[in-house]
Amino acid sequence: MFETEEREGGKESFSGSIEHIIYCNEENGYAICSFSTDGGDLVTIVGTLPYVAEGEHMTLTGSWVHNPKYGRQFKVERFEKQLPADVDSILRYLASGAIKGVGAKTAIKIVDEFGEDTFEVIEKHPEWLAQISGISKKKALEISGNFRAEAGMRSTMMFFREYFGPATTVKIYKKWGADAVEIAKENPYVLCDMIDGIGFEKADAMAAKLSIDPACESRIMSGMKYLLSHNAAKNGHICLPLDKLIEGTAQMLSVSIEKSESAYKSLVAAGRVRYSIFDGTTYVYTKEAYDAETFTANKLVVLDNLCPKIGYEDIERFISREEKRSGIEYAPLQRQAIKEALDSGVMILTGGPGTGKTTVVRALLGIFESMDMKVALAAPTGRAAKRMSEATSCEAKTIHRLLEMEYSDGENAIFMRDERNFLDESIIIIDEASMIDCFLASSLLKAVKPGSRIILIGDADQLPSVGAGNVLRDLISSGRFATVCLRTIFRQAEKSLIVTNSHAINDGICPNLTAKDNDFFFMPRESDREIAMTIADLCKNRLPRKYGADTVQKIQVITPSRRGEGGTDNLNLILKESLNPAEKGKKEYKHKERVFRVGDRVMQTKNNYELEWESAYRSGLGVFNGDIGIVKDIDKSEQYILIAFDDRNVIYDFSLLDDIDHAYAITVHKSQGSEYPIVIIPMYACPPMLMTRNLLYTAVTRAEKMVILVGKEEYVRKMVENNRQSMRYTGLAKRLLPFE
């Protein structure tokens, strides 16, 4: 292998020239090239290589990756371009079309005439080019101008490489061209508003290196917008009270309240933030959040008002016919739910486990089918959609798939279904609606054509969405739309302690912890270490011994926190070594501090829209936050791990393993939208903000057949008694109140 220079973090660096461009995307600069190293080796390089040209000499920094189709490639993360110096390379560079206006024949003439001085002539003496046959004075000036533009791009890439990767720099150059450097030097914070992927922290670090005044208004304005966005992403707030925003910005940036207030007024004047006044308090939004919330409120009202009405007698006839067909006599609240769904443009159905929500959905599907109405079933996550499909015997999709999500630059989701391309279905039924944040709700509603019905099903007592907003709870609290809450636990479900204890927890009553012959068990343990060891013993020995070896794959440990001996970090280490220990011949690979081994249960921890997957029937793109799979193979020579997610196989290059975590134990938040046959929950001392009733309720309701609590009874009681709800600043409910 040719020599490379070892860089920080295991990166490699080497120099050479572009031999052949195999593929190049002019929009984002992504390219695949044959690259001849200075040592004479020919390798394949991939990455964001904007305006690359054959013959160009470059120094590359990156790492080796394995492509399942094309084999070993060098993934470029940083690069430096140098203009070719020898005559042959200059000729290849010009002949490749790198300079607009210069083709292969013209390149030969220019290089024959000026040799190694070619670039100096083009840049500084364009009139000399007009001496060559076929090049007019006008064309000579155009060639020189295009060459200088290429030089401007090169200097832009060189300037920004200290701060951003090539892909981001391409966006900057496309926005401002050769002026990009001067614009960024004058006000780095403009990058936050104009360029996707550049946040306040990156721009602020750049500004500090450029010695920008830390009290300048552009910094305070940008910091204020960051505070709004950060609170949406981390704390679920769609907006913030003005006084908290002013004070928070001043404190975060170490500036005066007066400067913070001035920056706010400038943001409002420029239309970069919006505000609404509710009950005498001013709430401030980013423009995107304001637009999402106001659109959601307005579209729901329109759907509710425009829904075609069905006569009372027809509704009664439909319900009676469906009862006869299914052999089920619907309970009064179920009957009411069906009526409301048939009579309303927007209807909300809530209720805990065992209250018959699925029975209502099945009834509605039968009635809508008899009316020849097209129905779409969807849920926020793949697991929830799969469960919905199994319960209804009809296809259910993720909301993202329903909206036909495509991908931009591997970062931003673009929905092909929107207000210009409505969904075909006139009935939209969404399960696990408590997981829908305000931005996803807005995207979904854009795709719903006026006159359609939308039915939201969920459990408002579970944890709110990970993203900003509190959509389901806000819609219910507004009282604006038909809402039915199923409360009766049906006879069959009454036999399940999972069901009855879930409702007890939700009502603030300590669950029955003494049963020994049902589906809900409590195992008292004193110390956190005892709790962890007992969980490992349950997973490895006791449960498989009683229920069969395949039980191991049916168990999911769900814990409130990542930290502590009962948290995911520690439990994953213990369970991994207990359930999947190292063995001779079993493949494994150490990535930083974690060891991945064939047979490990793992989870994708962030959305990756570019990852390819294959199943027995089809292929596609995208693996999403919370997807759980099993490591099936590890190939160190080709540097990849094969992971099976349900029916999809995905090849992970080693460079992508930062986005994979072990999933023998997961947090309650990560478990939302999923169900597991057996759930084990450690009851140990967690941070107070996690010791809440709705967190315990959410964890328990993830179980299909068995729940086992392991730990101290006092922590169970503390969680049940703590009805603290995570407060979120939103305006959706207030926008829906009458006369607002």
Side-chain angles (χ1 to χ4, degrees), residues 225 228-229 232 237-240 272-274 284-296 438-439 442 468-469 729 731-732 735:
K225 280 199 67 183
L228 285 170
S229 301
H237 301 306
I238 203 77
C239 56
L240 287 177
R272 292 166 62 189
V273 300
R274 303 290 177 87
V284 187
Y285 298 73
T286 63
K287 182 181 181 301
E288 297 77 14
Y290 181 88
D291 290 346
E293 187 177 89
T294 53
F295 178 85
T296 296
C438 195
F439 295 103
S442 173
Y729 291 115
L732 183 58
R735 294 185 193 283

Side-chain angles (χ1 to χ4, degrees), residues 199 422 476 632 698 703:
F422 289 125
I476 294 171
K632 292 295 185 181
T698 301

Side-chain angles (χ1 to χ4, degrees), residues 29 63 96 217 271 280 284 370 428 434 452 468 530 547 569 596 603 632 716:
S63 57
S96 71
E217 187 169 76
V284 187
S370 71
I428 315 297
S434 63
S452 298
E530 281 184 292
Y547 300 105
D569 290 347
F596 293 100
M603 173 185 281
K632 292 295 185 181
V716 179

